[in-house]
Amino acid sequence: MSSTTTTTDSTLASRSVQDFCDILASKQPTPGGGASAAVGAAVGAGTAAMSGAYTQRKKDEESGAADAARTMISKMDIPSLLSMADNDVEAYKALQSTWKKDSGLSPEQVKDIEANALKVPTVLFEACHERIVAVQEFLPKCNPNITSDAKVGIHQLAGAARSAYQTILVNSPPEEEKMRLMKILQEIQEIENGLLGL
């Protein structure tokens, strides 16, 4: 059987883009939407970081823009986003185990597993928001020849945040938590609207 249709033996981050997409497109429960959102966030963070890498010219060093760029790059933390893809896979597998009548799990264990299934996409959602804000704050100092890439990074991260939110909804968050996340979504939308001139 092709490695592209089997379950992952290693981290998703270690796979090629083609391999990941093939696994994602296959008829198997993981990786799914949550892992897809995390990988999308990592792509967005990488794109934003590139705009910082190109804001390292001599004049950027003199103006302080290079320091701002390095600060932004450090906040992108791509490895942590990619690890969230694997976290999502593990959380969903654990959640699936609770659906078996003979799982042998105690009510407390089931409750913990369900709580983690909600926590994992929430962590990703918040991570996307933090990075969006960091890139937005960097934009005024970004090398003007590459601001479009910083903006692409924001849009990618925003899409990942909305995708993570959909995963959160599947896990039935409390109404108060849903309202908190909606406010963050509105803030993200306002940032995007500003970049799009809407």
Coordinates of all heavy atoms in Angstrom, one line a residue, residues 18 97 103 136 139:
Q18 N 3.1 17.2 -0.9 CA 2.3 16.2 -1.7 C 1.8 15.1 -0.8 O 0.6 14.7 -0.9 CB 3.1 15.7 -2.8 CG 2.4 14.7 -3.7 CD 1.3 15.4 -4.6 OE1 1.6 16.3 -5.3 NE2 0.1 15.0 -4.4
S97 N -12.0 7.0 20.4 CA -12.0 5.8 21.3 C -13.1 5.9 22.3 O -13.6 4.9 22.8 CB -10.7 5.8 22.1 OG -10.5 6.8 23.0
S103 N -15.1 0.7 25.4 CA -13.8 1.4 25.5 C -13.1 1.2 26.8 O -11.8 1.3 26.8 CB -14.0 2.9 25.3 OG -14.7 3.5 26.4
Q136 N 0.8 42.4 11.8 CA 0.1 43.7 11.6 C 1.0 44.8 12.2 O 1.2 45.9 11.6 CB -1.3 43.7 12.2 CG -2.0 45.0 11.9 CD -3.2 45.2 12.8 OE1 -3.2 44.7 14.0 NE2 -4.2 45.9 12.4
L139 N 4.0 45.5 10.0 CA 3.8 45.9 8.6 C 4.3 47.4 8.4 O 4.9 47.6 7.3 CB 2.3 45.9 8.3 CG 1.9 44.7 7.4 CD1 0.4 44.7 7.3 CD2 2.6 44.7 6.1

